[in-house]
Amino acid sequence: RRHGTDRSAAQRTAERGFHTTFVHRASDDFYEVLGVKKDASAPEIKKAYYQLAKKYHPDANKDPGAKDKFLKIQEAYDTLSDASKRQSYDQYGSADPMEGMGGGPGAGFSGFGGMDDILSQMFGGAFSGRGGHGHGFTSQGEDIEASITLSFMEAVNGVQKTITITPVVHCEPCGGQGAKKGAKKGAKRKTCRTCRGTGQAMFKMGGFHVQQPCPECSGEGSSISSKDKCSACQGRGRVRERKTVPIDIPAGCDSGMRVKISDMGDVPADGHGPAGDLYVKVRVLPSKTFRRKGSDIYYDLQVPLTTAILGGTLRVPTVDGDVEVNIKPGVQPGDELRLRTKGVRKVNSTGRGDQYLNLNVKLPTELTSKQRELVEQLDAELTGKPRSDPAKESTESTESTDGSEQGTKEKDGFFSRIKKDFENFKKHDDK
């Protein structure tokens, strides 16, 4: 009994802390906390966090449970917004709770700080009060995505292309204010008094609190009188604009890669913060000549039978143009040659991949009598077998009731033997 009370306070604290963390991890799914799917992209996670942070931050939400809810939201975002932490969480169901948190969930917030401090770090915006209750902010706009298709050589060498996008921009006639020209001086977009700029309103239904878009401002967080609305944007202050954007595709780009163009996304729905970014996903068409694996190029080289036996020089295409390649005597079908630095340039690097040549020995399908005699001489020389009588073989072929069938069998047998002898040529030569 006495022995059981000798544990140090640090030991008891450590045990309690470990137990609490374990239970918390087991009960909360970070994807569910943010309301996103497990394959959600980084912009989707960021958007979900942005909306929840506005709703549950203690400075804006006085609900007794908002504090704990916000902590969970913050912890979920800290984990899922970091690629390495997210990978660990997906694989093991947890990420290191101490990393970047100063000792655990909620640590380092100094009593949560202000909404200004936390959201400005996440979204790069400058936050300021608008007066009244709650906080307003100028946030960054949403990122947008587009796609582009390139030919094989365009991706290898790099190219400048143009794409058409329709981002959300400030309405030019009203300068993004939503009020038409000539409206009264005070006819500006005003923060909705019902939702206080959040765009969301809480309703009580059957004992539950349900959040829906604010009916007063239609979820926009602000409104303007109908008589003063800009006709171009219907008082929203934002419109979609068709733009043609130049894009530089770097050499070595491959299918699945994304090219980022800063500040070409949507402008914020409210305020005058920076626009989001444009991400262009690349799709590369296959080549009829080459195959590509990363920065390496593969090419099937047809080698004539005589070149394979005697050696020689062949002209080979590469992404930089044709080159002469020396073929050593006695190469075998399936052999592979490597041309260093003849592959694709590595993105954001001066290095290049290699080109690999897969050798396919090409056997003739027909022979003249002279060619046949010469090959038979080679066959006899390599195998030590006596030569066959060409005249006798010719007579037997002619006397066959189905000459085409017998001739085919002889030809097939002959070329099969030649192929087999050729494949064993190196071994025989070594002996």
Side-chain angles (χ1 to χ4, degrees):
R1 184 174 173 185
R2 183 175 183 180
H3 175 74
T5 60
D6 288 340
R7 294 179 303 164
S8 67
Q11 289 175 320
R12 293 194 297 272
T13 301
E15 291 176 4
R16 288 197 299 270
F18 174 79
H19 178 71
T20 302
T21 302
F22 176 79
V23 172
H24 172 73
R25 293 271 179 199
S27 61
D28 293 324
D29 182 291
F30 287 164
Y31 292 100
E32 292 181 0
V33 170
L34 294 181
V36 297
K37 297 180 180 179
K38 290 193 175 182
D39 59 351
S41 64
E44 290 173 338
I45 292 174
K46 178 180 177 181
K47 181 178 180 180
Y49 170 75
Y50 165 74
Q51 294 173 340
L52 292 171
K54 287 198 301 180
K55 177 182 176 182
Y56 289 104
H57 192 280
D59 286 352
N61 192 326
K62 302 306 179 183
D63 191 313
K67 174 180 177 181
D68 292 336
K69 181 68 174 177
F70 182 79
L71 277 176
K72 292 179 181 179
I73 294 168
Q74 183 67 50
E75 183 183 8
Y77 181 76
D78 287 341
T79 297
L80 299 184
S81 63
D82 184 288
S84 60
K85 289 183 182 180
R86 183 178 181 182
Q87 183 179 5
S88 177
Y89 179 79
D90 289 341
Q91 186 172 0
Y92 303 110
S94 65
D96 183 5
M98 302 298 291
E99 183 177 347
M101 297 294 292
F109 290 138
S110 301
F112 298 105
M115 190 96 163
D116 302 3
D117 300 329
I118 296 174
L119 294 185
S120 63
Q121 291 178 7
M122 304 313 301
F123 301 105
F127 294 82
S128 59
R130 292 191 209 174
H133 299 286
H135 285 71
F137 52 88
T138 300
S139 63
Q140 182 174 345
E142 296 294 331
D143 297 333
I144 62 175
E145 293 186 350
S147 60
I148 190 171
T149 300
L150 307 175
S151 70
F152 184 85
M153 292 306 299
E154 284 177 337
V156 168
N157 297 321
V159 67
Q160 186 177 72
K161 290 276 192 176
T162 58
I163 58 172
T164 301
I165 58 175
T166 54
V168 175
V169 300
H170 294 291
C171 176
E172 187 174 344
C174 66
Q177 297 300 317
K180 64 183 180 182
K181 289 184 177 181
K184 294 181 180 180
K185 186 175 181 182
K188 299 293 183 181
R189 178 172 291 276
K190 298 179 181 179
T191 301
C192 177
R193 291 178 295 179
T194 301
C195 65
R196 295 179 180 175
T198 64
Q200 302 291 320
M202 192 73 71
F203 300 90
K204 191 172 183 179
M205 184 181 298
F208 295 94
H209 286 86
V210 180
Q211 180 177 275
Q212 294 180 347
C214 176
E216 185 69 24
C217 64
S218 300
E220 294 184 15
S222 59
S223 60
I224 195 169
S225 62
S226 57
K227 66 178 182 179
D228 293 325
K229 285 183 179 179
C230 171
S231 59
C233 63
Q234 299 302 313
R236 296 185 181 91
R238 307 289 185 271
V239 294
R240 287 198 176 274
E241 182 178 82
R242 190 178 182 87
K243 292 182 177 181
T244 300
V245 180
I247 174 174
D248 291 319
I249 303 296
C253 203
D254 203 358
S255 288
M257 291 184 177
R258 297 200 309 170
V259 179
K260 175 183 175 182
I261 304 179
S262 299
D263 303 325
M264 291 302 296
D266 293 343
V267 299
D270 190 18
H272 290 271
D277 299 326
L278 167 64
Y279 289 90
V280 182
K281 189 173 183 179
V282 175
R283 175 176 174 262
V284 181
L285 297 175
S287 169
K288 295 181 179 179
T289 305
F290 305 106
R291 299 188 307 279
R292 178 178 176 182
K293 293 182 181 179
S295 59
D296 294 328
I297 295 291
Y298 291 81
Y299 175 74
D300 294 326
L301 179 61
Q302 301 296 324
V303 181
L305 175 62
T306 52
T307 304
I309 296 174
L310 303 174
T313 301
L314 295 178
R315 197 166 185 80
V316 177
T318 72
V319 294
D320 297 321
D322 293 351
V323 296
E324 297 286 340
V325 175
N326 292 323
I327 306 298
K328 294 182 180 179
V331 295
Q332 301 296 306
D335 281 356
E336 188 176 74
L337 300 182
R338 179 181 182 184
L339 305 180
R340 293 185 181 275
T341 67
K342 289 298 182 181
V344 181
R345 187 181 304 279
K346 298 177 182 179
V347 178
N348 298 326
S349 172
T350 56
R352 294 187 60 168
D354 302 321
Q355 179 167 330
Y356 292 89
L357 306 179
N358 297 316
L359 304 187
N360 296 325
V361 178
K362 185 178 180 181
L363 299 177
T365 56
E366 294 182 358
L367 293 175
T368 64
S369 58
K370 178 64 174 177
Q371 292 170 339
R372 182 183 179 90
E373 182 179 356
L374 292 173
V375 173
E376 288 178 347
Q377 290 179 12
L378 175 62
D379 181 39
E381 182 68 25
L382 294 176
T383 63
K385 297 178 182 179
R387 290 181 56 198
S388 59
D389 187 349
K392 182 177 180 181
E393 289 183 358
S394 177
T395 302
E396 290 176 352
S397 178
T398 303
E399 291 175 353
S400 171
T401 57
D402 189 351
S404 61
E405 180 181 355
Q406 183 173 346
T408 301
K409 288 182 179 179
E410 288 182 356
K411 184 165 72 172
D412 290 344
F414 166 72
F415 282 113
S416 296
R417 189 171 73 253
I418 286 295
K419 184 176 181 180
K420 181 178 180 181
D421 291 340
F422 174 70
E423 290 174 346
N424 294 325
F425 172 67
K426 268 191 173 180
K427 296 180 180 178
H428 181 82
D429 188 55
D430 292 339
K431 292 179 179 179

PDB file of all heavy atoms in Angstrom, residues 43 134-135 153 160 203 234 265 272 275 280 322 327 336 344 354 357 415:
ATOM      1  N   PRO A  43      -6.843  22.667 -51.067  1.00  0.00           N
ATOM      2  CA  PRO A  43      -7.753  23.824 -51.092  1.00  0.00           C
ATOM      3  C   PRO A  43      -9.107  23.525 -50.441  1.00  0.00           C
ATOM      4  O   PRO A  43      -9.698  24.401 -49.802  1.00  0.00           O
ATOM      5  CB  PRO A  43      -7.904  24.118 -52.595  1.00  0.00           C
ATOM      6  CG  PRO A  43      -6.652  23.596 -53.211  1.00  0.00           C
ATOM      7  CD  PRO A  43      -6.323  22.372 -52.409  1.00  0.00           C
ATOM      8  N   GLY A 134     -18.241  40.724 -32.784  1.00  0.00           N
ATOM      9  CA  GLY A 134     -17.581  39.854 -33.753  1.00  0.00           C
ATOM     10  C   GLY A 134     -16.438  40.565 -34.442  1.00  0.00           C
ATOM     11  O   GLY A 134     -16.130  41.716 -34.183  1.00  0.00           O
ATOM     12  N   HIS A 135     -15.818  39.852 -35.362  1.00  0.00           N
ATOM     13  CA  HIS A 135     -14.659  40.379 -36.100  1.00  0.00           C
ATOM     14  C   HIS A 135     -14.900  40.225 -37.583  1.00  0.00           C
ATOM     15  O   HIS A 135     -15.427  39.232 -38.048  1.00  0.00           O
ATOM     16  CB  HIS A 135     -13.383  39.621 -35.718  1.00  0.00           C
ATOM     17  CG  HIS A 135     -12.860  39.990 -34.366  1.00  0.00           C
ATOM     18  ND1 HIS A 135     -13.485  39.634 -33.213  1.00  0.00           N
ATOM     19  CD2 HIS A 135     -11.760  40.700 -34.012  1.00  0.00           C
ATOM     20  CE1 HIS A 135     -12.796  40.084 -32.166  1.00  0.00           C
ATOM     21  NE2 HIS A 135     -11.754  40.725 -32.630  1.00  0.00           N
ATOM     22  N   MET A 153       6.282  15.915 -77.270  1.00  0.00           N
ATOM     23  CA  MET A 153       7.467  16.742 -77.430  1.00  0.00           C
ATOM     24  C   MET A 153       7.298  18.109 -76.781  1.00  0.00           C
ATOM     25  O   MET A 153       8.276  18.710 -76.339  1.00  0.00           O
ATOM     26  CB  MET A 153       7.812  16.900 -78.918  1.00  0.00           C
ATOM     27  CG  MET A 153       8.282  15.615 -79.579  1.00  0.00           C
ATOM     28  SD  MET A 153       9.680  14.840 -78.717  1.00  0.00           S
ATOM     29  CE  MET A 153      10.931  16.116 -78.829  1.00  0.00           C
ATOM     30  N   GLN A 160       5.148  27.499 -74.247  1.00  0.00           N
ATOM     31  CA  GLN A 160       4.244  28.512 -73.713  1.00  0.00           C
ATOM     32  C   GLN A 160       2.887  28.335 -74.370  1.00  0.00           C
ATOM     33  O   GLN A 160       2.767  28.272 -75.583  1.00  0.00           O
ATOM     34  CB  GLN A 160       4.748  29.935 -73.956  1.00  0.00           C
ATOM     35  CG  GLN A 160       3.876  30.982 -73.274  1.00  0.00           C
ATOM     36  CD  GLN A 160       4.377  32.399 -73.436  1.00  0.00           C
ATOM     37  OE1 GLN A 160       4.285  32.956 -74.522  1.00  0.00           O
ATOM     38  NE2 GLN A 160       4.893  32.983 -72.365  1.00  0.00           N
ATOM     39  N   PHE A 203     -30.852  28.415 -36.491  1.00  0.00           N
ATOM     40  CA  PHE A 203     -32.265  28.255 -36.196  1.00  0.00           C
ATOM     41  C   PHE A 203     -32.453  27.074 -35.257  1.00  0.00           C
ATOM     42  O   PHE A 203     -31.742  26.068 -35.357  1.00  0.00           O
ATOM     43  CB  PHE A 203     -33.070  28.025 -37.480  1.00  0.00           C
ATOM     44  CG  PHE A 203     -32.965  29.148 -38.473  1.00  0.00           C
ATOM     45  CD1 PHE A 203     -31.965  29.147 -39.440  1.00  0.00           C
ATOM     46  CD2 PHE A 203     -33.854  30.209 -38.439  1.00  0.00           C
ATOM     47  CE1 PHE A 203     -31.858  30.172 -40.348  1.00  0.00           C
ATOM     48  CE2 PHE A 203     -33.755  31.240 -39.347  1.00  0.00           C
ATOM     49  CZ  PHE A 203     -32.769  31.228 -40.298  1.00  0.00           C
ATOM     50  N   GLN A 234     -25.692  42.772 -59.995  1.00  0.00           N
ATOM     51  CA  GLN A 234     -26.877  42.577 -59.146  1.00  0.00           C
ATOM     52  C   GLN A 234     -26.587  42.844 -57.674  1.00  0.00           C
ATOM     53  O   GLN A 234     -27.113  42.190 -56.778  1.00  0.00           O
ATOM     54  CB  GLN A 234     -27.418  41.149 -59.324  1.00  0.00           C
ATOM     55  CG  GLN A 234     -27.855  40.823 -60.739  1.00  0.00           C
ATOM     56  CD  GLN A 234     -28.942  41.774 -61.251  1.00  0.00           C
ATOM     57  OE1 GLN A 234     -29.918  42.050 -60.554  1.00  0.00           O
ATOM     58  NE2 GLN A 234     -28.751  42.291 -62.461  1.00  0.00           N
ATOM     59  N   GLY A 265      -6.624  33.307 -59.314  1.00  0.00           N
ATOM     60  CA  GLY A 265      -7.845  32.635 -58.903  1.00  0.00           C
ATOM     61  C   GLY A 265      -8.957  33.630 -58.624  1.00  0.00           C
ATOM     62  O   GLY A 265      -8.942  34.777 -59.101  1.00  0.00           O
ATOM     63  N   HIS A 272     -11.275  43.308 -49.970  1.00  0.00           N
ATOM     64  CA  HIS A 272     -10.352  43.503 -51.095  1.00  0.00           C
ATOM     65  C   HIS A 272      -9.028  42.791 -50.850  1.00  0.00           C
ATOM     66  O   HIS A 272      -7.956  43.332 -51.101  1.00  0.00           O
ATOM     67  CB  HIS A 272     -10.106  45.000 -51.324  1.00  0.00           C
ATOM     68  CG  HIS A 272     -11.308  45.707 -51.878  1.00  0.00           C
ATOM     69  ND1 HIS A 272     -11.554  45.817 -53.225  1.00  0.00           N
ATOM     70  CD2 HIS A 272     -12.350  46.313 -51.248  1.00  0.00           C
ATOM     71  CE1 HIS A 272     -12.694  46.480 -53.415  1.00  0.00           C
ATOM     72  NE2 HIS A 272     -13.189  46.798 -52.226  1.00  0.00           N
ATOM     73  N   ALA A 275      -6.291  37.770 -54.518  1.00  0.00           N
ATOM     74  CA  ALA A 275      -6.984  36.681 -55.207  1.00  0.00           C
ATOM     75  C   ALA A 275      -6.295  35.358 -54.912  1.00  0.00           C
ATOM     76  O   ALA A 275      -5.135  35.311 -54.490  1.00  0.00           O
ATOM     77  CB  ALA A 275      -6.998  36.945 -56.711  1.00  0.00           C
ATOM     78  N   VAL A 280      -2.952  24.640 -62.845  1.00  0.00           N
ATOM     79  CA  VAL A 280      -3.206  24.037 -64.154  1.00  0.00           C
ATOM     80  C   VAL A 280      -2.674  22.611 -64.149  1.00  0.00           C
ATOM     81  O   VAL A 280      -1.470  22.385 -64.008  1.00  0.00           O
ATOM     82  CB  VAL A 280      -2.551  24.856 -65.284  1.00  0.00           C
ATOM     83  CG1 VAL A 280      -2.873  24.227 -66.631  1.00  0.00           C
ATOM     84  CG2 VAL A 280      -3.023  26.297 -65.242  1.00  0.00           C
ATOM     85  N   ASP A 322      18.328  12.552 -84.367  1.00  0.00           N
ATOM     86  CA  ASP A 322      18.950  11.246 -84.609  1.00  0.00           C
ATOM     87  C   ASP A 322      20.418  11.243 -84.204  1.00  0.00           C
ATOM     88  O   ASP A 322      21.127  12.257 -84.346  1.00  0.00           O
ATOM     89  CB  ASP A 322      18.833  10.869 -86.085  1.00  0.00           C
ATOM     90  CG  ASP A 322      17.392  10.610 -86.502  1.00  0.00           C
ATOM     91  OD1 ASP A 322      16.532  10.569 -85.593  1.00  0.00           O
ATOM     92  OD2 ASP A 322      17.130  10.463 -87.704  1.00  0.00           O
ATOM     93  N   ILE A 327      26.708  -0.865 -82.684  1.00  0.00           N
ATOM     94  CA  ILE A 327      26.193  -2.164 -82.245  1.00  0.00           C
ATOM     95  C   ILE A 327      27.349  -3.157 -82.246  1.00  0.00           C
ATOM     96  O   ILE A 327      27.970  -3.395 -83.290  1.00  0.00           O
ATOM     97  CB  ILE A 327      25.054  -2.663 -83.155  1.00  0.00           C
ATOM     98  CG1 ILE A 327      23.946  -1.608 -83.265  1.00  0.00           C
ATOM     99  CG2 ILE A 327      24.503  -3.988 -82.636  1.00  0.00           C
ATOM    100  CD1 ILE A 327      23.274  -1.290 -81.962  1.00  0.00           C
ATOM    101  N   GLU A 336      19.821  -4.579 -73.928  1.00  0.00           N
ATOM    102  CA  GLU A 336      19.455  -3.175 -73.722  1.00  0.00           C
ATOM    103  C   GLU A 336      20.702  -2.294 -73.739  1.00  0.00           C
ATOM    104  O   GLU A 336      21.695  -2.613 -73.093  1.00  0.00           O
ATOM    105  CB  GLU A 336      18.717  -3.016 -72.393  1.00  0.00           C
ATOM    106  CG  GLU A 336      18.121  -1.634 -72.166  1.00  0.00           C
ATOM    107  CD  GLU A 336      17.325  -1.556 -70.877  1.00  0.00           C
ATOM    108  OE1 GLU A 336      17.966  -1.522 -69.793  1.00  0.00           O
ATOM    109  OE2 GLU A 336      16.083  -1.568 -70.926  1.00  0.00           O
ATOM    110  N   VAL A 344      14.730  12.938 -70.748  1.00  0.00           N
ATOM    111  CA  VAL A 344      13.978  14.181 -70.556  1.00  0.00           C
ATOM    112  C   VAL A 344      14.626  15.017 -69.461  1.00  0.00           C
ATOM    113  O   VAL A 344      15.146  14.477 -68.474  1.00  0.00           O
ATOM    114  CB  VAL A 344      12.514  13.853 -70.177  1.00  0.00           C
ATOM    115  CG1 VAL A 344      11.704  15.135 -70.002  1.00  0.00           C
ATOM    116  CG2 VAL A 344      11.882  12.965 -71.242  1.00  0.00           C
ATOM    117  N   ASP A 354      18.000   9.321 -69.002  1.00  0.00           N
ATOM    118  CA  ASP A 354      18.707   8.569 -70.041  1.00  0.00           C
ATOM    119  C   ASP A 354      17.711   7.990 -71.038  1.00  0.00           C
ATOM    120  O   ASP A 354      16.508   7.943 -70.789  1.00  0.00           O
ATOM    121  CB  ASP A 354      19.517   7.434 -69.415  1.00  0.00           C
ATOM    122  CG  ASP A 354      20.525   7.936 -68.383  1.00  0.00           C
ATOM    123  OD1 ASP A 354      21.129   9.001 -68.625  1.00  0.00           O
ATOM    124  OD2 ASP A 354      20.692   7.276 -67.347  1.00  0.00           O
ATOM    125  N   LEU A 357      17.654   1.658 -75.159  1.00  0.00           N
ATOM    126  CA  LEU A 357      17.330   1.008 -76.426  1.00  0.00           C
ATOM    127  C   LEU A 357      17.096  -0.476 -76.177  1.00  0.00           C
ATOM    128  O   LEU A 357      18.003  -1.189 -75.725  1.00  0.00           O
ATOM    129  CB  LEU A 357      18.468   1.188 -77.433  1.00  0.00           C
ATOM    130  CG  LEU A 357      18.925   2.636 -77.704  1.00  0.00           C
ATOM    131  CD1 LEU A 357      20.078   2.640 -78.702  1.00  0.00           C
ATOM    132  CD2 LEU A 357      17.766   3.482 -78.216  1.00  0.00           C
ATOM    133  N   PHE A 415      13.805 -21.347 -90.062  1.00  0.00           N
ATOM    134  CA  PHE A 415      14.016 -20.087 -89.357  1.00  0.00           C
ATOM    135  C   PHE A 415      14.010 -20.272 -87.846  1.00  0.00           C
ATOM    136  O   PHE A 415      14.668 -19.545 -87.123  1.00  0.00           O
ATOM    137  CB  PHE A 415      12.958 -19.058 -89.782  1.00  0.00           C
ATOM    138  CG  PHE A 415      13.253 -18.447 -91.128  1.00  0.00           C
ATOM    139  CD1 PHE A 415      12.429 -18.701 -92.205  1.00  0.00           C
ATOM    140  CD2 PHE A 415      14.372 -17.648 -91.310  1.00  0.00           C
ATOM    141  CE1 PHE A 415      12.712 -18.162 -93.446  1.00  0.00           C
ATOM    142  CE2 PHE A 415      14.644 -17.093 -92.545  1.00  0.00           C
ATOM    143  CZ  PHE A 415      13.818 -17.355 -93.613  1.00  0.00           C
TER     144      PHE A 415
END
